[in-house]
C-alpha cells in the first residue's frame, strides 16, 4: 500500500507570498483566544455551566476509557476460580518485549480435572510495551488488556507482577472480551 | 574621572590582546579578540566618538568575529592537534611582518612625539556624531570612500563567483 | 549633579524592575496561559499557596524555585569557564538594550528636566543593533563549550541565522532612519507625536520586515531552529540545567519585551496617544500646576507606552503559537533571497520618495 505524497503542489502567487496565510492563521488563533478569554469570565463567575474547554482535571476527574484502550495486560480468572490460561506459552513467544515468564504446571493425567495451568505467570510491566500481542496470540481468552494504566512505581523490581497480582475475574473484563471477539474475528463463534 | 575609566579599559584591552596571541585554543583567541574589540569600542566612546565605537561593535565584534567563530566551530578546531602548536616557520613572512610592525610602531611614536600633551585640543560638541562623520565622509573623503566601496563590491562579487563555480 | 545621578539611578531601577522583575516572570505565565486559551485549554493552574492558585500565577514562582534548587550540571569535557560564562553573556545584552529605550518623553518635574531614558545616545538606534549583534555570542559559545554535538549544531544554526537576519534588520533600520532623519530614539519618539507620522504609515514594509528579523534574532518559533527540540534535542542549551538554563530562558523573555519596546518606538508612536499631543494633555491638567500636570502626563505616557509594549508582546506570543517551524533552508532562503532584496528595495523606494517630496 505504497502511497505517495505529491510534493509539487502548485501554489498561487498569493499563497506563496505566505503573508496572507499567516494573517489567516493569526486570525483563527486570536479569534479562539478572545472568544475563550471572554467566554471564561462567566464560567469563573459561576454563571455558565458548560464551557468550551474540554480539559479534564486528571487525578480528580477521570474519563471512561473505551474498550479498545490497551492498558496493562491481565489474566482472566474464570467462573470456577481458576485461571483460564493453559500455559501454552503462545503469549510468551508472541511478546516482542520478552516480558512474560511462564512456568507451567500439569496434573498427572487424572480425569475430570484441569489438565494444565500456569504454576507461575509473571509479566514485567517495566518492560511491557502494551502492544497487545499477547492478547491476540492467546487461544484460550485468558489474557486481556485492561483499562488500568496507572502503574508507575518507584521500584522496578516491584513492577514484575506475579500470577496472583495479575488475575482479574472474567466478569470485570466483559467489554474487552466482546471487543476482542469482534476485533480479531478469529474465534469461530 | 576620565583616567579612571581609561586605564582599566586600556589595561583590559592590552591584556586581552596578549591573550589573543598567547591563547592555546583558537576559540579562546577569538573570544579574547572580541573582548579586546569591545574594550577598544569603550575607549572610542570615551573620546566622544560614539559613532565609531558603535561601528566597532557592530562590524568587528558583531559581524566579523561571529564569522570567525562560525568557521572555527565548523572546522571544530579544538587546538589540541600538534599542527596547531607549532606551525611551520616561514622566514620571509616573519621578516616582512616584522618590517610592517616596525613601520607602524615608528609612525605611532612619531605622532605621539609631535603631540603637545599639555594642552589638548578642544573639539566641537558635535564631534564624533553620525551627522558630522557622514558629512566628512561624503565631502572631503568622498573619493576614498567610493573607492573602498567599489573594492568591497568587487570582493563580494569575486567571492560569489568563486562559490558559484565550485557549486556548478 | 547628585539629583541627576539619583534620577538616572531611579530610571535604571525602574527599567530593571519592570523587565527582570515583572515582565520576565509574568511572561512565563502569559506564555502558558495564552497558549492554553488559544488552543481551548485551561493551562497551568495547579501550583497553589494555601489553596489559592491565582489563575496559575504561582507557577512562575514554582519555576524560579525549581531552577534555583536544581543540580547545576557541567558535562564532561566541557570548557568550564565558557560554559559558565555564556548564560551571562546571553542575558546581559538582553537587558542592556533598555539603556537607550525611552519609555516616555521629557517632563518638567520640580524644576528638573526629566528625560525618561537612561542614556540619550545620539546613535541609539545603532546601539540597539550593536547589542543585538553581540547577543549572538552567548548562544554560540554555549553550544561550543558544551562538548555536545547537538549543542554545536544548535550554535552553528544560531550563528548563521543571526548573521543572516542582522543584515535585514540593519537595512530596515536604515529605512526608518531615513524617514525620521535621526538615530536618537527619543527624537524618533518625539516626531511621532503627529499621528500621521507614525512609523507604521511611513514604513509599513519596514515594520513587517523588522518584526520578522527581530523574531528570528530572538530564535522563537517559527524561527526556533537553533533549539528545535524535535531535531536537535534542545540545541545550544541541551547541556544546561538549573539557573544557567533559567538565564537563557530569561534572556529570551526579556528580548520579547525589548522587541516589543523597539517596535513601539520605531513604528507605533512610542508613548503618544493618537491625536493627543503632549501640549493638549498638559493644558487639560493645568489646574494641577506645572509639576502636578507634568507628573500626571508622565504617568499617562508611561502607561500608554507599556500598554503598547504589552500589545506587541501579545502579538509575538500569538505568532509563536500559530505558526509552525520553518525548515533550515527555508529560513536561509527567506533571509537572503526575500527579505534582503526587499529591504534593499525598501531603502531605495524610501530614498526616492523622500527626494521627490523635497
Ligand atoms: S502487551 Fe505486548 S509487551 Fe506487554 S506482555 Fe503483552 S505481548 Fe508482551
Ligand atoms: S497464550 Fe493464553 S493460554 Fe497460552 S500461556 Fe498465554 S495466557 Fe495462557
Amino acid at each position: 500500500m505504497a502511497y505517495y505524497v505529491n510534493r509539487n503542489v502548485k501554489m498561487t502567487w498569493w499563497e506563496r507570498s505566505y503573508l496572507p496565510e499567516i494573517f489567516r492563521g493569526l486570525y483563527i488563533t486570536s479569534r479562539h483566544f478572545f472568544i475563550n478569554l471572554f467566554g471564561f469570565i462567566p464560567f469563573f463567575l459561576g454563571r455558565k455551566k458548560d464551557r468550551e474547554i474540554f480539559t479534564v482535571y486528571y487525578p480528580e476527574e477521570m474519563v471512561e476509557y473505551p474498550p479498545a484502550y490497551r492498558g496493562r495486560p491481565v489474566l482472566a480468572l474464570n467462573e470456577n476460580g481458576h485461571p483460564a490460561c493453559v500455559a501454552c506459552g503462545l503469549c510468551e513467544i508472541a511478546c516482542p518485549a520478552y516480558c512474560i515468564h511462564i512456568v507451567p504446571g500439569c496434573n498427572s493425567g487424572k480425569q475430570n480435572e484441569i489438565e494444565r495451568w500456569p504454576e507461575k505467570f509473571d509479566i514485567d510491566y517495566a518492560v511491557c510495551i502494551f502492544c497487545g500481542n499477547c492478547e491476540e496470540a492467546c487461544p484460550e481468552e485468558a489474557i486481556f488488556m485492561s483499562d488500568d494504566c496507572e502503574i508507575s512505581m518507584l521500584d522496578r523490581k516491584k513492577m514484575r507482577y506475579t500470577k496472583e497480582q495479575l488475575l482479574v475475574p472474567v466478569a470485570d473484563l466483559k467489554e474487552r472480551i466482546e471487543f476482542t471477539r469482534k476485533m480479531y474475528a478469529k474465534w469461530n463463534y | 574621572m576620565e583616567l579612571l575609566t581609561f586605564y582599566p579599559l586600556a589595561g583590559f584591552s592590552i591584556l586581552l590582546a596578549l591573550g589573543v596571541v598567547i591563547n592555546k585554543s583558537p576559540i579562546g583567541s577569538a573570544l579574547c579578540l572580541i573582548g579586546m574589540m569591545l574594550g577598544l569600542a569603550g575607549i572610542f566612546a570615551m573620546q566622544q566618538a560614539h559613532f565609531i565605537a558603535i561601528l566597532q561593535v557592530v562590524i568587528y565584534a558583531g559581524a566579523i568575529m561571529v564569522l570567525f567563530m562560525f568557521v572555527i566551530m565548523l572546522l571544530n578546531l579544538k587546538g589540541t592537534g600538534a599542527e596547531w602548536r607549532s606551525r611551520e616557520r616561514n622566514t620571509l613572512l616573519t621578516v616582512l611582518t616584522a618590517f610592517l610592525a616596525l613601520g607602524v610602531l615608528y609612525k605611532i611614536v612619531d605622532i605621539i612625539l609631535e603631540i603637545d600633551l599639555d594642552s589638548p585640543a578642544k573639539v566641537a560638541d558635535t564631534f564624533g556624531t553620525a551627522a558630522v562623520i557622514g558629512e566628512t565622509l561624503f565631502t572631503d573623503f568622498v573619493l576614498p570612500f567610493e573607492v573602498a566601496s567599489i573594492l568591497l563590491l568587487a570582493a563580494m562579487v569575486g567571492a560569489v563567483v568563486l562559490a558559484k563555480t565550485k557549486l556548478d | 549633579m547628585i539629583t541627576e545621578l539619583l534620577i538616572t539611578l531611579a530610571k535604571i531601577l525602574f527599567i530593571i524592575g519592570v523587565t527582570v522583575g515583572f515582565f520576565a516572570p509574568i511572561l512565563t505565565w502569559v506564555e502558558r496561559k495564552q497558549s492554553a486559551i488559544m488552543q481551548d485549554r485551561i493551562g497551568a493552574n495547579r501550583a497553589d499557596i494555601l489553596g489559592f492558585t491565582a489563575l496559575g500565577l504561582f507557577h512562575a514562582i514554582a519555576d524560579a524555585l525549581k531552577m534555583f534548587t536544581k543540580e547545576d550540571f557541567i558535562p564532561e569535557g566541557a570548557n568550564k569557564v565558557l560554559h559558565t560564562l555564556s548564560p551571562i553573556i546571553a542575558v546581559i545584552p538582553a537587558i542592556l538594550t533598555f539603556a537607550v529605550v525611552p519609555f516616555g518623553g521629557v517632563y518638567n518635574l520640580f524644576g528638573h528636566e526629566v528625560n525618561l531614558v537612561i542614556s540619550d545616545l545620539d546613535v541609539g538606534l545603532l546601539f540597539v543593533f550593536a547589542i543585538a549583534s553581540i547577543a549572538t555570542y552567548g548562544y554560540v559559545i554555549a553550544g561550543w563549550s558544551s562538548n555536545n554535538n547537538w549543542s554545536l549544531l544548535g550554535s552553528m544554526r544560531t550563528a548563521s541565522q543571526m548573521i543572516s537576519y542582522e543584515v535585514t534588520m540593519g537595512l530596515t533600520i536604515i529605512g526608518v532612519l531615513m524617514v525620521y532623519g535621526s538615530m536618537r530614539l527619543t527624537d524618533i519618539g518625539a516626531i511621532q507625536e503627529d499621528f500621521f507620522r507614525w512609523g507604521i504609515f511611513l514604513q509599513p514594509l519596514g515594520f513587517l520586515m523588522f518584526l520578522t528579523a527581530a523574531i528570528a534574532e530572538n530564535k522563537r518559533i517559527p524561527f526556533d531552529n537553533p533549539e528545535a527540540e524535535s531535531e536537535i534535542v534542545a540545541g545550544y542549551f541541551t547541556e544546561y540545567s538549573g539557573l544557567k538554563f533559567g538565564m537563557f530562558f530569561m534572556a529570551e523573555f526579556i528580548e520579547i519585551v525589548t522587541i516589543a519596546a523597539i517596535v513601539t518606538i520605531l513604528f507605533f508612536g512610542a508613548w503618544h496617544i493618537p491625536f493627543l499631543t503632549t501640549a493638549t494633555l498638559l493644558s487639560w491638567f493645568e489646574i494641577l500646576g506645572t509639576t502636578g500636570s507634568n507628573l500626571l502626563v508622565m504617568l499617562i505616557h508611561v502607561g500608554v507606552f507599556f500598554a503598547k509594549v504589552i500589545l506587541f508582546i501579545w502579538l509575538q506570543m500569538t505568532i509563536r503559537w500559530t505558526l509552525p517551524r520553518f525548515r533550515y533552508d527555508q529560513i536561509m532562503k527567506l533571509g537572503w533571497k526575500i527579505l534582503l532584496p526587499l529591504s534593499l528595495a525598501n531603502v531605495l523606494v524610501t530614498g526616492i520618495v523622500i527626494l521627490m517630496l523635497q
Side-chain angles (χ1 to χ4, degrees):
Chain A
M1 259 245 315
Y3 137 79
Y4 296 97
V5 179
N6 179 15
R7 293 191 187 281
N8 301 317
V9 184
K10 278 271 169 292
M11 284 191 283
T12 57
W13 187 86
W14 182 250
E15 278 168 343
R16 249 183 308 146
S17 73
Y18 205 72
L19 221 50
E21 295 298 309
I22 287 182
F23 284 124
R24 218 156 60 93
L26 285 180
Y27 166 68
I28 291 171
T29 44
S30 43
R31 192 186 62 204
H32 273 257
F33 176 76
F34 283 113
I35 289 177
N36 286 331
L37 188 67
F38 297 117
F40 263 158
I41 296 166
F43 173 71
F44 281 126
L45 292 181
R47 298 243 178 81
K48 211 163 116 199
K49 270 277 133 27
D50 21 304
R51 51 194 154 88
E52 279 80 37
I53 308 285
F54 300 100
T55 307
V56 173
Y57 287 84
Y58 162 61
E60 294 99 43
E61 291 173 25
M62 299 266 255
V63 289
E64 274 290 306
Y65 293 116
Y69 183 78
R70 295 202 305 262
R72 68 183 176 92
V74 294
L75 284 177
L77 191 68
N78 64 15
E79 288 83 357
N80 309 328
H82 293 292
C85 170
V86 294
C88 66
L90 282 180
C91 55
E92 201 173 4
I93 291 167
C95 177
Y98 305 119
C99 65
I100 302 180
H101 308 277
I102 304 171
V103 176
C106 61
N107 70 16
S108 46
K110 282 183 208 143
Q111 290 294 309
N112 300 326
E113 264 184 49
I114 309 161
E115 274 180 50
R116 278 173 68 87
W117 65 90
E119 200 75 62
K120 272 191 191 163
F121 197 112
D122 294 354
I123 298 181
D124 195 344
Y125 286 139
V127 181
C128 174
I129 56 170
F130 300 82
C131 61
N133 279 5
C134 47
E135 182 186 50
E136 199 174 336
C138 181
E140 292 291 327
E141 292 194 344
I143 189 163
F144 288 102
M145 310 303 282
S146 67
D147 61 0
D148 180 15
C149 58
E150 296 171 327
I151 50 168
S152 59
M153 268 164 230
L154 290 177
D155 188 358
R156 276 184 210 173
K157 290 190 194 99
K158 284 188 193 146
M159 295 191 77
R160 186 168 167 146
Y161 273 40
T162 56
K163 191 176 80 179
E164 284 68 37
Q165 287 166 295
L166 287 171
L167 283 170
V168 168
V170 80
D172 295 357
L173 297 166
K174 273 271 160 342
E175 266 182 58
R176 179 73 190 180
I177 294 174
E178 289 293 314
F179 173 75
T180 46
R181 280 177 189 165
K182 248 191 284 164
M183 184 71 192
Y184 300 131
K186 67 182 183 187
W187 292 276
N188 300 319
Y189 293 139
Chain B
M1 189 69 196
E2 211 154 78
L3 288 182
L4 220 67
T5 40
F6 175 74
Y7 280 118
L9 268 178
F12 174 79
S13 304
I14 290 172
L15 267 185
L16 284 177
L18 279 177
V20 178
V21 185
I22 295 168
N23 214 313
K24 285 212 182 72
S25 79
I27 208 114
S29 288
L31 282 178
C32 285
L33 196 54
I34 296 163
M36 195 207 74
M37 277 158 179
L38 292 182
L40 270 189
I43 292 176
F44 278 134
M46 259 185 49
Q47 314 281 340
Q48 269 202 38
H50 298 136
F51 188 63
I52 306 264
I54 296 284
L55 284 193
Q56 171 89 9
V57 175
V58 173
I59 295 169
Y60 286 103
I64 293 179
M65 287 316 293
V66 172
L67 283 178
F68 271 49
M69 299 274 284
F70 190 71
V71 170
I72 289 171
M73 282 193 320
L74 196 67
L75 305 179
N76 211 356
L77 301 173
K78 282 258 156 73
T80 41
E83 68 276 12
W84 181 259
R85 295 258 164 73
S86 61
R87 274 159 297 180
E88 263 181 65
R89 294 215 170 74
N90 188 329
T91 325
L92 185 68
L93 258 183
T94 319
V95 172
L96 279 181
T97 323
F99 266 115
L100 201 69
L102 275 181
V104 172
L105 252 180
Y106 169 75
K107 193 68 198 164
I108 291 173
V109 170
D110 200 37
I111 292 175
I112 288 177
L113 286 183
E114 265 175 31
I115 296 171
D116 186 7
L117 288 173
D118 295 329
S119 57
K122 282 266 174 297
V123 291
D125 263 356
T126 52
F127 178 80
T129 58
V132 173
I133 287 181
E135 217 175 298
T136 11
L137 263 189
F138 284 102
T139 49
D140 296 351
F141 296 98
V142 72
L143 186 68
F145 180 76
E146 291 300 333
V147 169
S149 53
I150 286 173
L151 190 70
L152 285 178
L153 185 68
M156 205 161 78
V157 172
V160 170
V161 166
L162 278 180
K164 255 238 140 44
T165 45
K166 245 189 196 159
L167 271 181
D168 290 341
Chain C
M1 178 72 192
I2 292 292
T3 35
E4 297 288 298
L5 219 63
L6 278 181
I7 289 171
T8 311
L9 207 65
K11 285 189 285 201
I12 292 174
L13 282 182
F14 175 74
I15 277 292
I16 291 194
V18 165
T19 53
V20 182
F22 176 73
F23 271 117
I26 283 288
L27 279 184
T28 63
W29 174 76
V30 169
E31 174 136 88
R32 285 192 179 121
K33 219 57 184 175
Q34 185 179 342
S35 63
I37 293 178
M38 272 166 57
Q39 299 169 347
D40 296 350
R41 292 185 285 114
I42 291 175
N45 63 353
R46 280 305 168 106
D48 65 308
I49 295 176
L50 304 174
F52 290 106
T53 53
L55 293 174
L57 261 176
F58 294 136
H59 277 268
I61 301 172
D63 270 349
L65 277 179
K66 182 193 80 179
M67 272 160 189
F68 272 114
T69 49
K70 248 182 157 177
E71 184 193 355
D72 184 11
F73 175 75
I74 296 179
E76 203 181 311
N79 189 330
K80 286 200 181 58
V81 181
L82 294 183
H83 190 267
T84 317
L85 207 61
S86 54
I88 305 173
I89 303 179
V91 86
I92 284 179
I95 306 176
L96 211 57
T97 315
F98 276 98
V100 293
V101 169
F103 46 96
V106 183
Y107 307 98
N108 188 355
L109 296 181
F110 307 106
H112 285 284
E113 288 273 300
V114 177
N115 193 353
L116 286 189
V117 56
I118 294 170
S119 167
D120 196 6
L121 268 189
D122 120 82
V123 283
L125 204 47
L126 267 183
F127 181 82
V128 173
F129 186 52
I131 294 302
S133 61
I134 288 295
T136 320
Y137 290 113
Y139 307 106
V140 172
I141 295 168
W144 185 84
S145 63
S146 299
N147 191 29
N148 176 323
N149 285 342
W150 302 122
S151 303
L152 193 66
L153 273 177
S155 63
M156 301 226 315
R157 286 181 176 194
T158 316
S160 52
Q161 177 175 327
M162 287 180 90
I163 293 173
S164 315
Y165 281 85
E166 243 160 50
V167 180
T168 312
M169 204 157 127
L171 284 172
T172 44
I173 280 180
I174 288 180
V176 175
L177 199 126
M178 285 161 78
V179 169
Y180 293 124
S182 173
M183 280 199 277
R184 199 187 286 264
L185 286 174
T186 44
D187 285 354
I188 293 178
I191 290 171
Q192 297 183 63
E193 194 161 9
D194 179 1
F195 181 58
F196 296 105
R197 298 198 62 186
W198 279 23
I200 182 72
F201 300 121
L202 303 177
Q203 290 277 310
L205 196 60
F207 163 66
L208 280 179
M209 286 188 298
F210 184 83
L211 195 64
T212 315
I215 293 175
E217 289 275 295
N218 196 10
K219 300 175 292 301
R220 278 171 72 78
I221 290 173
F223 297 99
D224 75 330
N225 266 47
E227 50 192 86
E229 53 284 287
S230 46
E231 298 166 28
I232 49 171
V233 190
Y236 53 84
F237 54 58
T238 307
E239 295 288 5
Y240 281 86
S241 64
L243 208 54
K244 287 188 204 153
F245 169 74
M247 281 171 87
F248 280 119
F249 210 59
M250 197 163 85
E252 186 180 318
F253 281 116
I254 294 174
E255 217 144 294
I256 296 174
V257 186
T258 318
I259 293 170
I262 299 289
V263 165
T264 309
I265 289 167
L266 294 187
F267 300 102
F268 281 86
W271 53 88
H272 297 294
I273 311 170
F275 304 115
L276 266 183
T277 58
T278 314
T280 335
L281 267 180
L282 276 177
S283 67
W284 281 2
F285 305 115
E286 219 161 3
I287 23 165
L288 296 173
T290 328
T291 303
S293 57
N294 268 291
L295 202 64
L296 202 62
V297 172
M298 180 177 101
L299 287 182
I300 290 174
H301 278 169
V302 173
V304 167
F305 178 75
F306 280 107
K308 285 178 185 171
V309 166
I310 287 170
L311 183 76
F312 282 103
I313 290 173
W314 175 83
L315 182 67
Q316 285 181 63
M317 290 279 182
T318 312
I319 291 174
R320 186 239 180 278
W321 287 98
T322 302
L323 301 180
R325 180 187 304 138
F326 286 126
R327 232 182 314 135
Y328 186 65
D329 63 319
Q330 287 171 332
I331 289 189
M332 287 298 130
K333 213 170 128 191
L334 180 69
W336 289 107
K337 290 195 177 164
I338 300 173
L339 286 184
L340 181 67
L342 262 183
S343 53
L344 278 172
N346 186 40
V347 169
L348 197 72
V349 171
T350 312
I352 292 172
V353 171
I354 288 176
L355 273 186
M356 278 184 358
L357 287 184
Q358 265 172 5

